[in-house]
Amino acid sequence: MTEKIRPLLAGNWKMNGTRDSLTEIKAIAEAITPAQALKVEALLCPPATLLYVTTALCQDSPLAVGAQDCHQHRSGAHTGDISAEMIADCFGTYVIVGHSERRRDHAETSELVRAKAEAAHAADLTAIICVGETLAERQQGQTIAVLQKQIEASVPQGSTAQNTVIAYEPVWAIGTGMVPQPSEIAEAHSFLRSDLVTRLGRTGKSMRLLYGGSANPSNAAALVGIENVNGLLVGGASLKAVDFIAMYGACLKQPA
Ligand code: 13P
């Protein structure tokens, strides 16, 4: 039931990166050729402060650029927030929504995440919607139930494989060096695939499902080799060009 899907390697820089880091972004942008990008898409999501300068830097590169969050409204009195329109105005094409750090730090609910994804779609951005269980939820055998609830409430009805990517990021695997067993990732992704097909029909078959949580150059090949894993959402290991490029190479080596 797996369809041919172009994988996506996405880097989430979180609250890291200053103008000095542009050398890393430039190195990544220059390393990826258009022919490679037809096989595996590459995306960087720097902090909002670097968004515009990054898209300018990537003008001649197939490296896509996105943001890490957006507000659910188009404009207005929301001090400190940025809208999906503003991201598009900076030539960003993706936005991450519902990352567990935002759900935790800003008490974001799945309903809010859905509104943000809808705002992203309205601005012609692709939304990367993050879901994932905590350690306590996994230990209580709640993983699939948690994913089901998050998908149900976070993914807009009109989502398509073009405007939406789902990232499975177990909260306990983020930044900890702990990675689920391949069978655990396969189980979660297989559930996500069938749930999306049930909800969205055919488009659910080709929607990309990323894995995120302590992915690095040493485990990238094994992770993207798991069934229904269509790429990675990488935090720490995306900050250095040499690591990002190594992971990109691992994705490219996957049999088509
Ligand atoms: P790490 O790769 O640093 O574990 O972070 C994963 C993540 O949260 C990406 O969004």
Side-chain angles (χ1 to χ4, degrees):
M1 98 166 217
T2 311
E3 297 224 330
K4 178 81 204 83
I5 295 176
R6 179 169 67 136
L8 171 64
L9 178 67
N12 172 11
W13 274 25
K14 308 191 179 183
M15 199 171 70
N16 297 292
T18 56
R19 284 178 295 132
D20 283 349
S21 327
L22 294 174
T23 51
E24 299 297 324
I25 297 176
K26 192 159 179 280
I28 295 170
E30 286 174 357
I32 295 164
T33 68
Q36 289 172 332
L38 289 176
K39 294 189 191 138
V40 176
E41 190 175 9
L43 164 70
L44 263 193
C45 298
T49 46
L50 294 182
L51 187 59
Y52 186 60
V53 69
T54 298
T55 57
L57 206 60
C58 295
Q59 227 173 12
D60 299 320
S61 164
L63 178 65
V65 180
Q68 301 172 11
D69 178 51
C70 67
H71 195 274
Q72 67 274 27
H73 294 152
R74 285 181 60 150
S75 60
H78 302 288
T79 303
D81 278 311
I82 59 170
S83 70
E85 302 262 309
M86 292 168 175
I87 294 163
D89 183 55
C90 289
F91 305 109
T93 52
Y94 279 83
V95 62
I96 300 169
V97 293
H99 193 282
S100 62
E101 288 151 14
R102 292 213 55 94
R103 290 179 188 258
R104 180 197 66 204
D105 295 351
H106 301 271
E108 292 193 359
T109 62
S110 287
E111 289 67 28
L112 178 62
V113 173
R114 184 178 62 225
K116 290 182 175 210
E118 284 167 351
H121 294 165
D124 284 332
L125 300 180
T126 299
I128 301 181
I129 303 175
C130 302
V131 294
E133 81 287 0
T134 62
L135 188 56
E137 288 164 341
R138 173 161 285 276
Q139 285 167 344
Q140 289 158 16
Q142 296 291 309
T143 300
I144 297 298
V146 167
L147 296 181
Q148 184 162 32
K149 260 175 87 175
Q150 289 179 336
I151 291 285
E152 179 172 20
S154 312
V155 178
Q157 251 316 312
S159 297
T160 67
Q162 285 69 46
N163 69 17
T164 304
V165 173
I166 305 295
Y168 169 55
E169 297 207 315
V171 178
W172 53 276
I174 295 175
T176 58
M178 296 196 304
V179 177
Q181 294 299 316
S183 61
E184 294 172 323
I185 297 175
E187 186 194 8
H189 279 241
S190 152
F191 165 74
L192 291 170
R193 175 67 68 217
S194 60
D195 193 57
L196 289 165
V197 171
T198 306
R199 278 174 209 289
L200 304 170
R202 215 188 138 61
T203 201
K205 278 193 179 183
S206 40
M207 190 170 279
R208 290 180 289 187
L209 305 180
L210 310 186
Y211 166 78
S214 297
N216 61 47
S218 314
N219 61 20
L223 290 170
V224 291
I226 298 171
E227 193 165 8
N228 284 309
V229 174
N230 314 118
L232 302 171
L233 180 55
V234 186
S238 72
L239 293 168
K240 288 266 164 281
V242 61
D243 290 337
F244 188 93
I245 293 163
M247 300 180 83
Y248 187 71
C251 293
L252 277 176
K253 280 202 195 115
Q254 281 305 302

PDB file of all heavy atoms in Angstrom, residues 159-178:
ATOM      1  N   SER A 159      -6.716  18.784   4.170  1.00  0.00           N
ATOM      2  CA  SER A 159      -5.269  18.573   3.980  1.00  0.00           C
ATOM      3  C   SER A 159      -5.013  17.657   2.795  1.00  0.00           C
ATOM      4  O   SER A 159      -5.758  16.708   2.555  1.00  0.00           O
ATOM      5  CB  SER A 159      -4.665  17.944   5.240  1.00  0.00           C
ATOM      6  OG  SER A 159      -4.804  18.818   6.334  1.00  0.00           O
ATOM      7  N   THR A 160      -3.941  17.957   2.072  1.00  0.00           N
ATOM      8  CA  THR A 160      -3.549  17.112   0.942  1.00  0.00           C
ATOM      9  C   THR A 160      -2.077  16.717   1.107  1.00  0.00           C
ATOM     10  O   THR A 160      -1.368  17.277   1.946  1.00  0.00           O
ATOM     11  CB  THR A 160      -3.671  17.873  -0.391  1.00  0.00           C
ATOM     12  OG1 THR A 160      -2.680  18.922  -0.409  1.00  0.00           O
ATOM     13  CG2 THR A 160      -5.055  18.489  -0.576  1.00  0.00           C
ATOM     14  N   ALA A 161      -1.659  15.781   0.268  1.00  0.00           N
ATOM     15  CA  ALA A 161      -0.255  15.353   0.311  1.00  0.00           C
ATOM     16  C   ALA A 161       0.670  16.488  -0.130  1.00  0.00           C
ATOM     17  O   ALA A 161       1.867  16.463   0.163  1.00  0.00           O
ATOM     18  CB  ALA A 161      -0.063  14.136  -0.574  1.00  0.00           C
ATOM     19  N   GLN A 162       0.108  17.492  -0.825  1.00  0.00           N
ATOM     20  CA  GLN A 162       0.934  18.623  -1.280  1.00  0.00           C
ATOM     21  C   GLN A 162       1.078  19.667  -0.182  1.00  0.00           C
ATOM     22  O   GLN A 162       2.143  20.270  -0.042  1.00  0.00           O
ATOM     23  CB  GLN A 162       0.307  19.299  -2.515  1.00  0.00           C
ATOM     24  CG  GLN A 162       0.474  18.526  -3.819  1.00  0.00           C
ATOM     25  CD  GLN A 162      -0.337  17.244  -3.823  1.00  0.00           C
ATOM     26  OE1 GLN A 162      -1.506  17.219  -3.444  1.00  0.00           O
ATOM     27  NE2 GLN A 162       0.296  16.147  -4.225  1.00  0.00           N
ATOM     28  N   ASN A 163       0.034  19.888   0.591  1.00  0.00           N
ATOM     29  CA  ASN A 163       0.115  20.996   1.549  1.00  0.00           C
ATOM     30  C   ASN A 163       0.352  20.548   3.005  1.00  0.00           C
ATOM     31  O   ASN A 163       0.373  21.385   3.908  1.00  0.00           O
ATOM     32  CB  ASN A 163      -1.116  21.917   1.450  1.00  0.00           C
ATOM     33  CG  ASN A 163      -2.418  21.272   1.942  1.00  0.00           C
ATOM     34  OD1 ASN A 163      -2.389  20.269   2.633  1.00  0.00           O
ATOM     35  ND2 ASN A 163      -3.545  21.889   1.596  1.00  0.00           N
ATOM     36  N   THR A 164       0.543  19.248   3.194  1.00  0.00           N
ATOM     37  CA  THR A 164       0.697  18.758   4.569  1.00  0.00           C
ATOM     38  C   THR A 164       1.719  17.631   4.653  1.00  0.00           C
ATOM     39  O   THR A 164       1.755  16.745   3.788  1.00  0.00           O
ATOM     40  CB  THR A 164      -0.665  18.242   5.099  1.00  0.00           C
ATOM     41  OG1 THR A 164      -1.624  19.299   4.980  1.00  0.00           O
ATOM     42  CG2 THR A 164      -0.568  17.812   6.555  1.00  0.00           C
ATOM     43  N   VAL A 165       2.529  17.694   5.678  1.00  0.00           N
ATOM     44  CA  VAL A 165       3.482  16.625   6.026  1.00  0.00           C
ATOM     45  C   VAL A 165       3.213  16.322   7.496  1.00  0.00           C
ATOM     46  O   VAL A 165       2.946  17.234   8.279  1.00  0.00           O
ATOM     47  CB  VAL A 165       4.942  17.122   5.850  1.00  0.00           C
ATOM     48  CG1 VAL A 165       5.941  16.096   6.355  1.00  0.00           C
ATOM     49  CG2 VAL A 165       5.230  17.496   4.397  1.00  0.00           C
ATOM     50  N   ILE A 166       3.260  15.057   7.858  1.00  0.00           N
ATOM     51  CA  ILE A 166       3.095  14.692   9.272  1.00  0.00           C
ATOM     52  C   ILE A 166       4.460  14.278   9.817  1.00  0.00           C
ATOM     53  O   ILE A 166       5.190  13.508   9.175  1.00  0.00           O
ATOM     54  CB  ILE A 166       2.104  13.511   9.439  1.00  0.00           C
ATOM     55  CG1 ILE A 166       0.757  13.820   8.772  1.00  0.00           C
ATOM     56  CG2 ILE A 166       1.937  13.152  10.916  1.00  0.00           C
ATOM     57  CD1 ILE A 166      -0.039  14.965   9.377  1.00  0.00           C
ATOM     58  N   ALA A 167       4.818  14.796  10.990  1.00  0.00           N
ATOM     59  CA  ALA A 167       6.078  14.387  11.624  1.00  0.00           C
ATOM     60  C   ALA A 167       5.751  13.659  12.920  1.00  0.00           C
ATOM     61  O   ALA A 167       5.108  14.228  13.810  1.00  0.00           O
ATOM     62  CB  ALA A 167       6.955  15.596  11.893  1.00  0.00           C
ATOM     63  N   TYR A 168       6.199  12.409  12.997  1.00  0.00           N
ATOM     64  CA  TYR A 168       6.060  11.642  14.247  1.00  0.00           C
ATOM     65  C   TYR A 168       7.314  11.884  15.078  1.00  0.00           C
ATOM     66  O   TYR A 168       8.409  11.467  14.701  1.00  0.00           O
ATOM     67  CB  TYR A 168       5.900  10.151  13.941  1.00  0.00           C
ATOM     68  CG  TYR A 168       6.010   9.298  15.191  1.00  0.00           C
ATOM     69  CD1 TYR A 168       5.190   9.548  16.297  1.00  0.00           C
ATOM     70  CD2 TYR A 168       6.934   8.258  15.282  1.00  0.00           C
ATOM     71  CE1 TYR A 168       5.298   8.783  17.449  1.00  0.00           C
ATOM     72  CE2 TYR A 168       7.036   7.486  16.433  1.00  0.00           C
ATOM     73  CZ  TYR A 168       6.220   7.761  17.512  1.00  0.00           C
ATOM     74  OH  TYR A 168       6.327   7.012  18.667  1.00  0.00           O
ATOM     75  N   GLU A 169       7.128  12.593  16.176  1.00  0.00           N
ATOM     76  CA  GLU A 169       8.264  12.895  17.049  1.00  0.00           C
ATOM     77  C   GLU A 169       7.919  12.485  18.480  1.00  0.00           C
ATOM     78  O   GLU A 169       7.265  13.247  19.213  1.00  0.00           O
ATOM     79  CB  GLU A 169       8.568  14.398  17.015  1.00  0.00           C
ATOM     80  CG  GLU A 169       8.997  14.908  15.660  1.00  0.00           C
ATOM     81  CD  GLU A 169       9.879  16.150  15.759  1.00  0.00           C
ATOM     82  OE1 GLU A 169       9.550  17.066  16.532  1.00  0.00           O
ATOM     83  OE2 GLU A 169      10.914  16.170  15.095  1.00  0.00           O
ATOM     84  N   PRO A 170       8.343  11.283  18.887  1.00  0.00           N
ATOM     85  CA  PRO A 170       8.115  10.893  20.279  1.00  0.00           C
ATOM     86  C   PRO A 170       8.817  11.912  21.188  1.00  0.00           C
ATOM     87  O   PRO A 170      10.005  12.187  21.007  1.00  0.00           O
ATOM     88  CB  PRO A 170       8.782   9.521  20.390  1.00  0.00           C
ATOM     89  CG  PRO A 170       9.148   9.105  18.999  1.00  0.00           C
ATOM     90  CD  PRO A 170       9.167  10.323  18.145  1.00  0.00           C
ATOM     91  N   VAL A 171       8.084  12.482  22.116  1.00  0.00           N
ATOM     92  CA  VAL A 171       8.627  13.584  22.924  1.00  0.00           C
ATOM     93  C   VAL A 171       9.906  13.140  23.648  1.00  0.00           C
ATOM     94  O   VAL A 171      10.881  13.888  23.739  1.00  0.00           O
ATOM     95  CB  VAL A 171       7.560  14.076  23.930  1.00  0.00           C
ATOM     96  CG1 VAL A 171       8.107  15.177  24.821  1.00  0.00           C
ATOM     97  CG2 VAL A 171       6.317  14.575  23.189  1.00  0.00           C
ATOM     98  N   TRP A 172       9.896  11.894  24.103  1.00  0.00           N
ATOM     99  CA  TRP A 172      11.030  11.382  24.882  1.00  0.00           C
ATOM    100  C   TRP A 172      12.275  11.112  24.033  1.00  0.00           C
ATOM    101  O   TRP A 172      13.358  10.881  24.578  1.00  0.00           O
ATOM    102  CB  TRP A 172      10.607  10.097  25.615  1.00  0.00           C
ATOM    103  CG  TRP A 172      10.009   9.058  24.707  1.00  0.00           C
ATOM    104  CD1 TRP A 172       8.704   8.981  24.301  1.00  0.00           C
ATOM    105  CD2 TRP A 172      10.684   7.986  24.065  1.00  0.00           C
ATOM    106  NE1 TRP A 172       8.526   7.923  23.451  1.00  0.00           N
ATOM    107  CE2 TRP A 172       9.724   7.288  23.300  1.00  0.00           C
ATOM    108  CE3 TRP A 172      12.003   7.531  24.066  1.00  0.00           C
ATOM    109  CZ2 TRP A 172      10.047   6.173  22.533  1.00  0.00           C
ATOM    110  CZ3 TRP A 172      12.326   6.420  23.311  1.00  0.00           C
ATOM    111  CH2 TRP A 172      11.358   5.756  22.552  1.00  0.00           C
ATOM    112  N   ALA A 173      12.132  11.145  22.729  1.00  0.00           N
ATOM    113  CA  ALA A 173      13.283  10.901  21.845  1.00  0.00           C
ATOM    114  C   ALA A 173      13.941  12.203  21.399  1.00  0.00           C
ATOM    115  O   ALA A 173      15.026  12.191  20.815  1.00  0.00           O
ATOM    116  CB  ALA A 173      12.833  10.099  20.623  1.00  0.00           C
ATOM    117  N   ILE A 174      13.301  13.336  21.687  1.00  0.00           N
ATOM    118  CA  ILE A 174      13.806  14.618  21.185  1.00  0.00           C
ATOM    119  C   ILE A 174      14.963  15.103  22.044  1.00  0.00           C
ATOM    120  O   ILE A 174      14.804  15.320  23.250  1.00  0.00           O
ATOM    121  CB  ILE A 174      12.666  15.664  21.153  1.00  0.00           C
ATOM    122  CG1 ILE A 174      11.597  15.255  20.142  1.00  0.00           C
ATOM    123  CG2 ILE A 174      13.231  17.054  20.821  1.00  0.00           C
ATOM    124  CD1 ILE A 174      10.377  16.155  20.112  1.00  0.00           C
ATOM    125  N   GLY A 175      16.124  15.214  21.405  1.00  0.00           N
ATOM    126  CA  GLY A 175      17.290  15.767  22.080  1.00  0.00           C
ATOM    127  C   GLY A 175      17.854  14.901  23.191  1.00  0.00           C
ATOM    128  O   GLY A 175      18.666  15.367  23.993  1.00  0.00           O
ATOM    129  N   THR A 176      17.447  13.652  23.260  1.00  0.00           N
ATOM    130  CA  THR A 176      17.878  12.790  24.364  1.00  0.00           C
ATOM    131  C   THR A 176      18.877  11.721  23.942  1.00  0.00           C
ATOM    132  O   THR A 176      19.481  11.074  24.792  1.00  0.00           O
ATOM    133  CB  THR A 176      16.661  12.035  24.957  1.00  0.00           C
ATOM    134  OG1 THR A 176      16.064  11.268  23.901  1.00  0.00           O
ATOM    135  CG2 THR A 176      15.638  12.995  25.547  1.00  0.00           C
ATOM    136  N   GLY A 177      19.016  11.497  22.647  1.00  0.00           N
ATOM    137  CA  GLY A 177      19.843  10.390  22.180  1.00  0.00           C
ATOM    138  C   GLY A 177      19.107   9.059  22.242  1.00  0.00           C
ATOM    139  O   GLY A 177      19.657   8.025  21.874  1.00  0.00           O
ATOM    140  N   MET A 178      17.886   9.080  22.727  1.00  0.00           N
ATOM    141  CA  MET A 178      17.093   7.836  22.779  1.00  0.00           C
ATOM    142  C   MET A 178      16.227   7.764  21.529  1.00  0.00           C
ATOM    143  O   MET A 178      15.511   8.709  21.212  1.00  0.00           O
ATOM    144  CB  MET A 178      16.184   7.825  24.006  1.00  0.00           C
ATOM    145  CG  MET A 178      16.953   7.823  25.302  1.00  0.00           C
ATOM    146  SD  MET A 178      15.961   7.349  26.722  1.00  0.00           S
ATOM    147  CE  MET A 178      14.620   8.479  26.697  1.00  0.00           C
TER     148      MET A 178
END
